[in-house]
Amino acid sequence: MEVILYNPSQNGNTHNSALTVVHNNVAPASTTKPFIEANTIEGSLTEIRTGHIIPVFNKDNEPLISQVDFIELTQEVVSEAFRAERILSPSIRLSHPIKGRVPEARNKPANELLEWEKTIYWERMAFIIEVPSISDTIEGEKVSLTIGGVKAYNLDNLNGRRGTEEHFKIFIGFKVSVCTNLCIWTDGYTYDVKVRNREQLKAAIYHLVQSFDAITQLKKMETLQRYALTEHQFAQLIGRCRLYQHLPTGFKQGISDLQFGDAQINAVCRDYYKDNSFCRDDNGGINLWRLYNLFTAANKQSYIDTFLDRAVNATTFTSELAYALEHKYDNWFLG
């Protein structure tokens, strides 16, 4: 076993940091905990490759870049960028099934269809690839480097032809191992990658991975432990979070953006008391690292469409709270 310090943004050179990398020869195992839950099911790369049809452009019947292509290109980039590391197999979540049937079964009742007569593809797919050998510990919880993305065919113009821009979302950040919460910052997220072929997509993934500064992000996450809210401040925050969604547009100017609705805020309130890892302390207070994880845990109840955007919003929102507490700066959510 070898322990070194590593920053993937520095072309593989080692630097002094709290970031720990462990090299070993243990075969990687897929994570089984869902990183997103709402309206999704678990999928596998083999299932998608062998059992799902691929949408095509209507004008020339040429296939779009498939979900399998996207995942495999990301695996290639991760393997090239972190060739010495342990890399887990992808964890995949699927939603919005598009069902069909083969022509021979066009007149059959649905309950009489044989499996080979059914066709399906899933309109929306999200996946993550974990690199557990690049990790750190924050307040006793392990966080490990994670890369992934979202493919939603509903964002593409299927009435075009090959060469029409196709849309992807890609990210690199960290996953909290105990709960699979994703920690994604703006510099590790590209919300709308527009490409015309596989080569452009691979280049976009590679650029994001190579430009990502893991050590800086870890330091920012660790800093959140320094700031805390009292029980009264937390209650004030929750009340303002509920009010925010109903503010007139003009009133929102100058207020931090919050993309979490009532369902997610309810989850934050519940876990403030009940979460085993990130609940309040004995005095009712909660530091911002724990609060951040309450928001990222609540985000797992978001649909694939909004999942990554809300993950980044949780980071920005919590960071702005930290800035307000440190500089005694007015923040509407804290009153």
Side-chain angles (χ1 to χ4, degrees):
M1 179 181 294
E2 177 187 7
V3 179
I4 66 172
L5 300 175
Y6 181 85
N7 181 349
S9 71
Q10 300 295 330
N11 298 320
N13 297 328
T14 58
H15 299 272
N16 292 328
S17 164
L19 179 62
T20 301
V21 175
V22 180
H23 293 171
N24 57 48
N25 296 319
V26 178
S30 299
T31 179
T32 57
K33 296 180 181 178
F35 60 93
I36 179 174
E37 298 170 350
N39 196 38
T40 65
I41 68 165
E42 182 180 5
S44 72
L45 197 56
T46 299
E47 171 197 353
I48 299 173
R49 182 187 292 115
T50 60
H52 296 186
I53 64 174
I54 301 172
V56 299
F57 290 111
N58 290 339
K59 288 189 176 179
D60 56 13
N61 205 32
E62 292 289 345
L64 280 76
I65 300 172
S66 71
Q67 294 167 350
V68 169
D69 290 335
F70 185 20
I71 297 170
E72 290 181 340
L73 287 172
T74 305
Q75 286 182 305
E76 289 178 20
V77 170
V78 173
S79 296
E80 293 169 8
F82 308 107
R83 61 180 70 249
E85 310 305 331
R86 290 183 60 215
I87 300 171
L88 301 186
S89 57
S91 176
I92 303 168
R93 305 296 294 185
L94 304 166
S95 75
H96 293 76
I98 308 297
K99 299 179 180 179
R101 56 177 68 191
V102 298
E104 294 86 348
R106 63 186 180 277
N107 296 320
K108 269 192 174 184
N111 61 0
E112 295 181 9
L113 287 173
L114 303 175
E115 285 303 312
W116 71 269
E117 295 172 325
K118 302 174 185 177
T119 67
I120 191 171
Y121 74 91
W122 295 80
E123 186 180 65
R124 300 166 203 186
M125 179 276 301
F127 74 97
I128 61 172
I129 298 172
E130 185 182 354
V131 186
S133 56
I134 300 180
S135 65
D136 196 6
T137 301
I138 302 177
E139 204 177 62
E141 301 295 349
K142 180 182 176 182
V143 298
S144 53
L145 189 71
T146 302
I147 302 94
V150 165
K151 175 58 189 174
Y153 288 122
N154 61 302
L155 300 179
D156 295 327
N157 177 17
L158 301 185
N159 289 320
R161 55 170 48 90
R162 173 173 283 184
T164 301
E165 287 183 338
E166 301 176 50
H167 300 258
F168 299 83
K169 297 181 180 183
I170 54 176
F171 78 90
I172 179 171
F174 285 88
K175 180 177 71 67
V176 184
S177 297
V178 69
C179 53
T180 66
N181 295 352
L182 291 183
C183 305
I184 306 173
W185 297 65
T186 53
D187 58 356
Y189 176 46
T190 307
Y191 74 95
D192 188 15
V193 178
K194 300 176 182 179
V195 300
R196 300 179 186 276
N197 53 54
R198 287 166 46 95
E199 290 71 26
Q200 290 180 355
L201 178 57
K202 183 176 181 179
I205 301 167
Y206 195 84
H207 174 75
L208 181 66
V209 169
Q210 285 297 303
S211 62
F212 180 68
D213 188 339
I215 292 175
T216 296
Q217 185 180 129
L218 280 169
K219 288 180 178 178
K220 289 179 180 178
M221 292 192 293
E222 290 167 347
T223 298
L224 294 177
Q225 300 172 89
R226 302 177 190 172
Y227 310 103
L229 302 180
T230 65
E231 186 174 25
H232 176 78
Q233 287 175 312
F234 176 79
Q236 174 79 26
L237 173 74
I238 292 299
R240 290 292 177 98
C241 287
R242 294 188 186 281
L243 287 173
Y244 178 82
Q245 303 301 332
H246 305 285
L247 289 177
T249 303
F251 280 74
K252 291 185 178 181
Q253 294 181 0
I255 299 177
S256 303
D257 181 36
L258 179 65
Q259 298 178 21
F260 288 74
D262 285 345
Q264 289 79 36
I265 299 303
N266 286 341
V268 171
C269 294
R270 179 198 65 218
D271 291 343
Y272 169 76
Y273 291 103
K274 296 184 177 181
D275 189 272
N276 292 329
S277 301
F278 303 110
C279 65
R280 65 177 189 161
D281 61 30
D282 292 338
N283 297 317
I286 186 168
N287 69 38
L288 293 192
W289 167 247
R290 293 189 174 197
L291 179 67
Y292 174 51
N293 275 278
L294 295 189
F295 273 96
T296 53
N299 184 42
K300 289 194 284 189
Q301 298 303 320
S302 300
Y303 286 177
I304 284 178
D305 311 66
T306 57
F307 176 68
L308 291 180
D309 296 310
R310 279 183 174 163
V312 174
N313 181 240
T315 301
T316 304
F317 181 77
T318 312
S319 297
E320 290 178 356
L321 293 179
Y323 182 87
L325 292 172
E326 179 177 4
H327 299 281
K328 302 186 185 306
Y329 178 79
D330 288 339
N331 182 289
W332 182 83
F333 287 94
L334 296 177

